[in-house]
Amino acid sequence: MVRTSTMVLNGNLTVQMNQTIRQNGKQRKNGHVNGEKQTNFPTAKGMSCRQYSPESEQAPEQAPMYVAVLTYLGFGIVTLFGYFRDFLRAVGLEKCHLAQEREEQKEFVPMYQDFENFYTRNLYMRVRDNWNRPICSLPGPAFDLMERVSDDYNWTFRLTGKTIENVINMGSYNYLGFAENNEDFLKTVADKTLQYGVGVCSSRQEVGNLSSHEELERLVADFLGVESAMTFGMGFATNSMNIPALVSKGCLILSDELNHTSLILGARLSGASIRVFKHNNMHSLEKMLREAVCSGQPRTHRPWKKILIMVEGIYSMEGSVARLPEIVALKKKYKAYLYLDEAHSIGAVGPTGRGVTELFRLNPADVDVMMGTFTKSFGAAGGYIAGNKVNQPVRSSAVS
Ligand SMILES: Cc1ncc(COP(=O)(O)O)c(C=O)c1O
């Protein structure tokens, strides 16, 4: 079986990934074809500067009209059925498997709102078996699943003890193949775990600072070509917990409409004002920048303390690449700051995997805050914030 996926990013950045999952009787799993380690994995590293054209539109492909109409129609029908089944449950004609308020807790604020759970109860439950499948091999391009069945229409599952082998992994990122079975990585991990243990039981600011943290931070900063970096145990928290260290009330965040939820949460927690510009649309961004600089803060018209543009390098769901050269030019023109989330681009694009700055041959110093995660290309966990002037604010107020 041959999977050929062509990522048409903006018409021009075209990545051909011919993933031969099973070809000529060969089986690929966990980085091995018939037991032999393969090193030439198709990865997004195939993207190169030559293939990218900055003039091209960085917009995701639109679904054809009939697909959009049928999708909305499908949602409409199952939503109507959902209301009907909720009615049957309310009058006791259908058994309700939901978690419900306990009698003795009736006086408290309700934990389960009927309407809030509508989607989960009536739409997601129908197809729940397609997600959260337990796996029992390494997450390579193909892996093994633990077979499970439901006796009550997906409310609960039980494992049968059997294994479903060699299914295509469409659920995890492993751009460089580091999450696979490689004895060198495993030995390093085992040695370091024996030397340092599995946790430090304290925050970095107290007694949880290890020499290996500092080594990692130096390595990240050198790799990115910036002054310093700080690393964290979780990518999501790197965004959500550190954006408040950089901006606060009186600052303005200009956020791409397709930004990841961790960026959105960080922006909301910061207390800064947030305005959302159209995805990768430079006209929309410039209009907002101009408006922000000319009018300042609402009512008082005082200038914003800081204006922070927040974008991703490669957008995880759409695959579009940020129009970084134009964003950098705008940020310089309007004297704003730039926060770049490279969760999906670091390690994956640029001739040496240094992300979108390298892809566009930009100076890393043009990006004020570089953020990335170790969960995708690096096959590990955690995230970093790096840059030339971010060390001090992030380090002194980081909570994780
Ligand atoms: C753009 C972006 N930023 C941040 C994160 C959070 O990273 P993590 O999964 O390592 O917590 C993700 C996760 O997918 C992401 O796509």
Side-chain angles (χ1 to χ4, degrees):
M1 188 165 83
V2 182
R3 184 178 68 176
T4 305
S5 59
T6 307
M7 272 163 54
V8 182
L9 303 172
N10 339 303
N12 283 353
L13 176 60
T14 307
V15 185
Q16 286 280 352
M17 290 194 293
N18 292 311
Q19 290 211 352
T20 310
I21 303 297
R22 286 171 213 149
Q23 200 176 24
N24 305 330
K26 288 186 174 180
Q27 305 274 319
R28 171 181 283 177
K29 189 171 69 180
N30 303 335
H32 296 253
V33 173
N34 281 356
E36 283 170 35
K37 177 77 181 140
Q38 298 288 297
T39 48
N40 57 341
F41 270 171
T43 71
K45 271 196 108 174
M47 297 182 195
S48 74
C49 310
R50 269 173 286 114
Q51 290 165 302
Y52 179 78
S53 151
E55 296 81 39
S56 56
E57 264 310 304
Q58 294 287 323
E61 272 180 275
Q62 292 295 313
M65 183 56 102
Y66 75 93
V67 172
V69 170
L70 287 178
T71 308
Y72 280 116
L73 202 67
F75 267 106
I77 292 170
V78 282
T79 304
L80 284 179
F81 267 96
Y83 281 116
F84 180 61
R85 291 184 64 188
D86 269 5
F87 168 74
L88 294 182
R89 286 179 192 125
V91 296
L93 287 174
E94 185 177 321
K95 201 171 163 217
C96 189
H97 298 269
L98 285 176
Q100 282 170 331
E101 304 303 330
R102 287 163 60 184
E103 202 47 45
E104 62 271 30
Q105 290 179 338
K106 281 262 149 88
E107 307 290 302
F108 290 85
V109 178
M111 285 175 76
Y112 309 105
Q113 298 275 353
D114 250 16
F115 188 72
E116 259 179 35
N117 295 335
F118 181 88
Y119 179 84
T120 317
R121 193 170 57 235
N122 293 306
L123 280 76
Y124 175 66
M125 275 300 165
R126 291 169 173 268
V127 288
R128 192 178 159 212
D129 194 27
N130 292 325
W131 287 278
N132 313 321
R133 306 276 304 247
I135 68 168
C136 53
S137 69
L138 288 160
F143 54 23
D144 298 341
L145 291 181
M146 295 163 84
E147 191 187 70
R148 61 182 189 180
V149 290
S150 175
D151 303 316
D152 52 7
Y153 302 104
N154 292 351
W155 289 98
T156 56
F157 290 102
R158 65 183 165 79
L159 296 173
T160 61
K162 289 191 199 142
T163 304
I164 306 169
E165 292 187 351
N166 275 315
V167 301
I168 298 173
N169 175 8
M170 296 181 82
S172 57
Y173 311 103
N174 180 20
Y175 303 136
L176 300 182
F178 288 167
E180 286 152 32
N181 203 353
N182 179 309
E183 278 169 26
D184 291 345
F185 309 154
L186 294 180
K187 185 169 175 340
T188 312
V189 172
D191 289 350
K192 290 283 172 191
T193 311
L194 285 176
Q195 189 183 350
Y196 290 103
V198 287
V200 286
C201 306
S202 173
S203 73
R204 298 277 305 277
Q205 282 166 332
E206 290 173 6
V207 288
N209 198 45
L210 298 182
S211 58
S212 49
H213 287 137
E214 287 171 18
E215 197 186 326
L216 175 65
E217 287 172 354
R218 200 59 264 146
L219 200 67
V220 172
D222 289 348
F223 181 68
L224 296 172
V226 293
E227 221 170 66
S228 59
M230 186 166 181
T231 54
F232 301 87
M234 187 186 180
F236 193 103
T238 307
N239 276 334
S240 60
M241 298 284 105
N242 287 312
I243 293 171
L246 302 167
V247 281
S248 57
K249 198 163 178 280
C251 300
L252 175 67
I253 295 177
L254 297 179
S255 173
D256 188 289
E257 65 180 340
L258 296 185
N259 271 344
H260 189 256
T261 178
S262 54
L263 290 165
I264 297 170
L265 181 61
R268 289 187 183 157
L269 291 175
S270 73
S273 301
I274 305 165
R275 291 181 192 159
V276 177
F277 62 92
K278 286 196 195 133
H279 176 54
N280 240 343
N281 184 317
M282 295 304 110
H283 296 296
S284 173
L285 175 59
E286 178 154 25
K287 198 166 153 227
M288 284 188 185
L289 278 167
R290 197 181 310 122
E291 215 273 318
V293 171
C294 295
S295 312
Q297 299 187 37
R299 284 195 300 277
T300 61
H301 297 291
R302 280 201 205 125
W304 293 101
K305 287 189 202 155
K306 277 180 219 161
I307 300 176
L308 181 68
I309 303 168
M310 236 166 53
V311 293
E312 291 181 28
I314 295 184
Y315 289 80
S316 52
M317 295 295 116
E318 296 71 26
S320 45
V321 183
R323 299 170 71 151
L324 205 58
E326 289 147 277
I327 297 172
V328 167
L330 284 178
K331 136 201 144 106
K332 286 184 179 167
K333 181 171 169 192
Y334 292 94
K335 307 225 171 340
Y337 294 92
L338 177 58
Y339 187 105
L340 175 67
D341 180 333
E342 293 233 68
H344 292 272
S345 46
I346 194 69
V349 293
T352 59
R354 282 169 164 81
V356 276
T357 44
E358 191 183 41
L359 177 73
F360 290 107
R361 299 200 183 96
L362 290 173
N363 181 351
D366 286 339
V367 179
D368 303 283
V369 190
M370 284 180 159
M371 179 270 168
T373 66
F374 300 120
T375 34
K376 280 86 185 174
S377 291
F378 301 111
Y384 64 80
I385 295 272
N388 286 344
K389 292 191 193 107
V390 288
N391 194 16
Q392 182 50 34
V394 172
R395 210 167 278 275
S396 55
S397 64
V399 284
S400 45

